[in-house]
């Protein structure tokens, strides 16, 4: 466990993360962020591509789990239901409690778990906090909110460091 904001690799999207490569590294659980990671903001329906990725994970013995910070029940839960995966809202990333609770629910240890997310200061930091391997993906789309560009700028040094130490 550490307070590091450095991810283990930066991937162009979740589709650059190979389920087979994860399985070969002993991964059994993928915790995933929703917005800008699994789907663009506001999208309510999983894409066929996402369904196929989830099925490929499953075929490799890996469970996908939606770890959301959303305080409102609704979109995250219903997105997860449509995708056929478990979901936990109010996860409080970057605190580690939400990660630990999700792993306990899924019966997985930190060493066999990765977190896939687009934000350093929530997804990555929280994963390192909980002893989970953080995989950073490029946000699907930054447009729509100036705050996202500012945050992305602040994240840049950690992205560069993360690129040098890929997990896969
Ligand atoms: Mg996100």
């Amino acid at each position: 466990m550490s307070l590091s904001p450095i991810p283990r690799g930066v991937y162009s999207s979740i589709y650059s993360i190979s389920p087979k490569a994860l399985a070969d590294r002993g991964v059994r659980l993928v915790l995933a962020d929703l917005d800008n990671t699994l789907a663009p903001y506001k999208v309510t329906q999983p894409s066929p591509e996402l369904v196929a990725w989830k099925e490929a994970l499953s075929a490799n013995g890996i469970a996908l789990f939606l770890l959301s910070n959303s305080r409102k029940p609704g979109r995250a839960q219903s997105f997860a239901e449509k995708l056929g995966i478990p979901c936990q809202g109010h996860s409080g990333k970057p605190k580690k409690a939400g990660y630990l609770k999700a792993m306990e629910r899924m019966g997985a240890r930190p060493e066999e778990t990765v977190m896939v997310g687009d934000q350093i200061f929530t997804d990555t930091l929280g994963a390192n906090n909980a002893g989970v391997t953080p995989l950073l993906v490029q946000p699907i789309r930054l447009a729509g909110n100036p705050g996202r560009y500012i945050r992305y700028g602040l994240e840049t040094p950690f992205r560069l460091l993360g690129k040098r130490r890929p997990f896969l």
Side-chain angles (χ1 to χ4, degrees), residues 33-37 41 118-119 123:
D33 171 56
L34 175 57
D35 287 321
N36 256 350
T37 298
Y41 278 93
D118 69 300
Q119 286 188 42
D123 304 313

Side-chain angles (χ1 to χ4, degrees), residues 83-104:
L83 189 54
I85 64 170
C87 171
Q88 179 180 292
H90 301 268
S91 289
K93 297 174 284 186
K95 291 184 198 148
K96 66 179 174 186
Y99 293 77
L100 300 181
K101 199 171 147 195
M103 285 187 282
E104 192 184 338

Side-chain angles (χ1 to χ4, degrees), residues 24-44:
D24 288 346
R25 295 296 309 265
V27 172
R28 293 181 48 239
L29 174 63
V30 172
L31 305 175
D33 171 56
L34 175 57
D35 287 321
N36 256 350
T37 298
L38 295 186
Y41 278 93
K42 297 187 180 156
V43 166
T44 56

